[in-house]
């Protein structure tokens, strides 16, 4: 723990209600609470906390999540203290949440710096990931609001891009512009140019700087924060927090603050980043046998190629087996109560399954 | 029960060790002990017993099975008396088993007639099925060994055929010849001619006539039977039965007796017969939705066609669901510990899964 940095806090955004990993993900068990690393028990949230633990102490690590997920979230990060959970009574996108967290943290440490991280990403090279965050914290020390941009490896149309401006230090750059998800051709020109990075949704800043930025760009939200602090200086009492979220505009930190702010930096990072957004992306992420099949347990593939088998059944884990014979490019996902069979290339269509379950009122499968 | 016929016994052959229905079928849970009727709990064996119950009393209904299956078999036919199970210590094909059963029954009732039935078939029209058996019993009364021939509905290459000879009475005919499984062209000529019936493995005879036929055609087996009776007149003591089976030649009743016997009749039957031999045949048997999908529970099909979903998981049965999206002509079979995904047209290849499990020593999945 000798490396942990003074005044550094983390806020991990763990409020997602992912339907993209049905039947594994559910309302009460969203993606960040799943164990999606191959053959591992750890949740994505737990892995995120562990990844930054050399930088940030448990006492300075906060988890932002929805009220309905408090106990499941606590169970996923048992080593964090009780006060680590920031529970949002209402989902109002990221700006109200991050502003609130900045307020809570600034009260605890006026010199605090904050690392905001999604809870559902993977970084293969954790050491490099922390080096990048260290550089981002140096930029934050200079009064910048900082984001991490992932060096793109393909013309991905599913992410936003950040255009680098003039270099500042090391891998840190001014931010020239934010770009929405591009079409394939545009994405290709972005990647070829070398000037663009993937927006990975990570933000690093001094708490006081974020509060100033919120005051400049989202004055109503800032007024709500002041009201919250007036009602409860710690800014954590349930009733005052509920009133704050009820009044808050639903807006992302990207639109509400980043795109309006001028003192922005981006640190380019290349640490084996994966955004686990679909079963297809999990197949890409997992190790595969010589036929391209990816499985988490000792499954049986006979004349089967490029399939993904995710077996999350809790019954008799050492004895179970999935057998795939003469099938190709399928995702097969098993839980105790659900099963999904879908072509890998269409794995986004799992949303249609969730909608069908909703329309049929089969709430216990949601 | 007023219709139950005097002197009529049934012997239901329930020794199969079917691997063709993995992961549902196992060594200790072969096909006849599965519930394969859509949405029903009853086993195939239980349905077979129920189907003949208007003809044969529980006291006259015997189940022949392997020693290792005694308790599972008893559980499937709880209404039969304790003595109903004839346990074979060794599997020696059908002739030793049927001869033994004839001996046991002849001792109990010298005038006994016996209906031998497989335990894993389906008859949609049970009343017509019983009418056919009634006619077969009349033929047996005339001293014939009788088989039931199913009127073929397609040029099936998976069954043996029986060539009809001259008519005797009603739908009863002399047997002209038995034919092994034909190739497709030959099967086509069989079906077109109208002279051939499917061999469904049912045999009806007077117990004494079968014992005479065994004495004529299988003298060694007959000697073994005499030794068994000498050691135990009831022919049921475990040690004597074990010695009988140890010494017995492994041979089918078809090759050992039927193909050598001259006083044979076949009764042509058309009662919605189905031999459930593969997942593919189950798909054919089950009701389907307008897209050709067959399922036993409330599963979810989105842009999916002609699939079979068999969900035998015992956990939370009312809440579970399988979702198939954009897949065609697949069998998806679920148990608590196993899963199979295989194209319908290749469902016989499930044997390769069983062999792979054997080679890997995963005995608990066998």
């Amino acid at each position: 723990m000798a490396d942990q940095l003074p005044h550094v806090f983390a806020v991990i955004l763990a409020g997602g209600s992912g339907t993209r990993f049905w039947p594994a993900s559910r309302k009460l068990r969203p993606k960040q609470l799943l164990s999606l690393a191959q053959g591992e028990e750890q949740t994505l949230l737990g892995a995120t906390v562990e990844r930054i633990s050399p930088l940030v102490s448990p006492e300075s690590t906060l988890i932002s999540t929805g009220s309905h997920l408090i106990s499941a979230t606590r169970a996923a990060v048992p080593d964090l203290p009780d006060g680590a959970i920031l529970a949002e009574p209402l989902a109002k996108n990221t700006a109200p949440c991050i502003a609130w967290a900045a307020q809570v943290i600034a009260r605890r440490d006026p010199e605090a710096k904050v690392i905001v991280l999604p809870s559902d990403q993977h970084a293969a090279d954790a050491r490099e990931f922390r080096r990048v965050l260290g550089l981002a914290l140096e930029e934050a020390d200079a009064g910048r609001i900082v984001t991490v941009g992932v060096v793109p490896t393909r013309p991905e149309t599913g992410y936003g891009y950040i255009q680098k401006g003039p270099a500042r230090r090391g891998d840190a750059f001014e931010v020239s512009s934010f770009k929405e998800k591009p079409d394939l051709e545009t994405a290709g020109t972005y990647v070829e140019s070398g000037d663009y990075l993937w927006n990975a949704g990570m933000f690093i800043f001094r708490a006081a700087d974020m509060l100033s930025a919120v005051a400049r760009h989202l004055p109503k939200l800032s007024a709500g924060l002041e009201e919250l602090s007036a009602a409860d200086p710690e800014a954590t009492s349930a009733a005052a927090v509920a009133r704050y979220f009820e009044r808050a505009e639903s807006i992302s930190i990207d639109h509400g603050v980043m795109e309006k702010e001028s003192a922005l930096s981006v640190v380019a990072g290349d640490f084996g980043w994966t955004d686990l957004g679909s079963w297809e992306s999990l197949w890409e992420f997992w190790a595969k046998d010589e036929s391209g099949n990816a499985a988490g347990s000792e499954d049986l593939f006979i004349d089967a190629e490029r399939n993904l088998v995710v077996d999350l059944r809790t019954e008799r884990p050492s004895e179970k087996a999935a057998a795939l014979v003469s099938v190709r490019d399928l995702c097969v996902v098993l839980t105790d109560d659900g099963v999904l069979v879908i072509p890998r290339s269409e794995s986004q269509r799992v949303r249609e399954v969730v909608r069908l379950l909703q329309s049929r009122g089969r709430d216990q499968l949601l």
Side-chain angles (χ1 to χ4, degrees), chain A:
Chain A
M1 298 295 154
D3 290 347
Q4 288 173 1
L5 304 169
H7 310 300
V8 174
F9 289 73
V11 175
I12 299 174
L13 304 177
S17 69
T19 57
R20 289 180 291 179
F21 283 93
W22 190 91
S25 61
R26 301 294 174 87
K27 272 186 182 167
L28 293 179
R29 192 179 61 209
K31 181 170 58 158
Q32 68 272 12
L33 300 181
L34 298 178
S35 308
L36 292 178
Q38 206 164 11
E40 275 193 22
E41 293 293 312
Q42 197 176 39
T43 64
L44 290 173
L45 172 60
T48 302
V49 169
E50 184 177 302
R51 196 176 299 126
I52 59 161
S53 61
L55 295 179
V56 189
S57 72
E59 292 68 32
S60 300
T61 302
L62 301 177
I63 314 289
S64 155
T65 189
S67 300
H68 60 298
L69 294 174
I70 291 174
S71 53
T73 300
R74 245 190 243 290
V77 286
D79 296 337
L80 297 188
D82 277 358
I85 311 278
L86 294 176
E88 297 166 73
L90 288 169
K92 286 286 179 85
N93 211 327
T94 49
C97 165
I98 291 173
W100 173 41
Q103 178 80 8
V104 170
I105 290 169
R107 164 80 186 188
R108 285 169 57 178
D109 179 351
E111 294 179 56
K113 286 169 283 186
V114 183
I115 300 169
V116 176
L117 296 176
S119 57
D120 53 3
Q121 301 179 345
H122 179 77
D125 186 345
R127 186 180 298 265
E128 175 64 11
F129 175 70
R130 289 189 293 266
R131 191 192 67 79
V132 166
L133 289 182
L135 183 57
L137 287 164
E138 286 178 33
E139 283 290 285
D141 272 329
R144 317 280 293 184
I145 293 183
V146 189
T147 183
V148 171
V150 173
V151 177
T153 54
R154 60 182 186 272
E156 173 65 51
T157 60
Y159 306 142
Y161 285 72
I162 300 169
Q163 186 180 16
K164 293 188 286 193
R168 287 177 52 82
R169 74 183 92 183
D171 296 320
F173 301 84
E174 305 269 346
V175 170
S176 179
S177 67
F178 291 95
K179 302 291 186 188
E180 301 278 344
K181 295 175 186 176
D183 59 30
L184 187 62
E185 193 184 350
T186 308
T189 64
Y190 286 174
V191 175
E192 260 177 60
S193 74
D195 291 338
Y196 291 81
L197 301 164
W198 287 335
N199 187 345
M202 307 179 199
F203 308 100
I204 299 92
F205 47 79
R206 291 193 302 220
D209 291 341
M210 176 55 75
L211 292 171
S212 303
V214 168
R216 278 195 301 280
H217 307 301
L218 296 169
K220 272 198 208 164
L221 188 67
S222 191
L225 271 186
E226 278 172 33
E227 194 188 325
L228 169 57
S229 294
D232 169 24
E234 306 289 331
T236 54
S237 90
V241 170
R243 196 156 50 240
Y244 165 74
F245 275 96
E246 276 159 23
R247 289 185 46 179
E249 183 190 1
S250 180
I251 188 169
S252 69
I253 196 77
D254 303 80
H255 285 115
V257 173
M258 301 299 283
E259 291 171 12
K260 297 169 181 165
E261 184 62 31
S262 55
L264 294 179
S265 294
V266 60
V267 180
D270 188 359
F271 37 77
W273 179 83
T274 308
D275 173 54
L276 297 171
S278 65
W279 292 118
E280 166 76 354
S281 73
L282 199 65
W283 176 79
E284 286 164 1
F285 173 46
W286 276 17
K288 298 163 202 69
D289 69 15
E290 65 277 9
S291 301
N293 296 300
S297 49
E298 205 198 324
D299 292 315
L300 307 164
F301 297 98
I302 296 176
D303 186 20
E305 295 173 334
R306 299 177 304 276
N307 301 286
L308 172 72
V309 174
V310 182
D311 192 341
L312 299 168
R313 290 178 293 173
T314 56
E315 293 295 303
R316 279 173 286 186
S318 65
E319 303 301 337
K320 64 193 178 179
L324 273 63
V325 182
S326 193
V327 293
R328 276 146 197 84
D329 300 300
L330 287 183
C331 298
V332 177
V333 185
L334 313 160
T335 62
D336 287 339
D337 57 353
V339 175
L340 175 70
V341 180
I342 195 168
R344 273 186 20 239
S345 61
E346 300 182 59
S347 65
Q348 299 81 355
R349 297 185 66 185
V350 68
R351 288 198 184 94
E352 297 175 36
V353 175
V354 173
R355 280 201 292 271
L356 190 58
L357 287 167
Q358 285 166 339
S359 73
R360 292 193 183 169
R362 301 189 70 184
D363 292 347
Q364 277 166 297
L365 289 167
L366 292 171

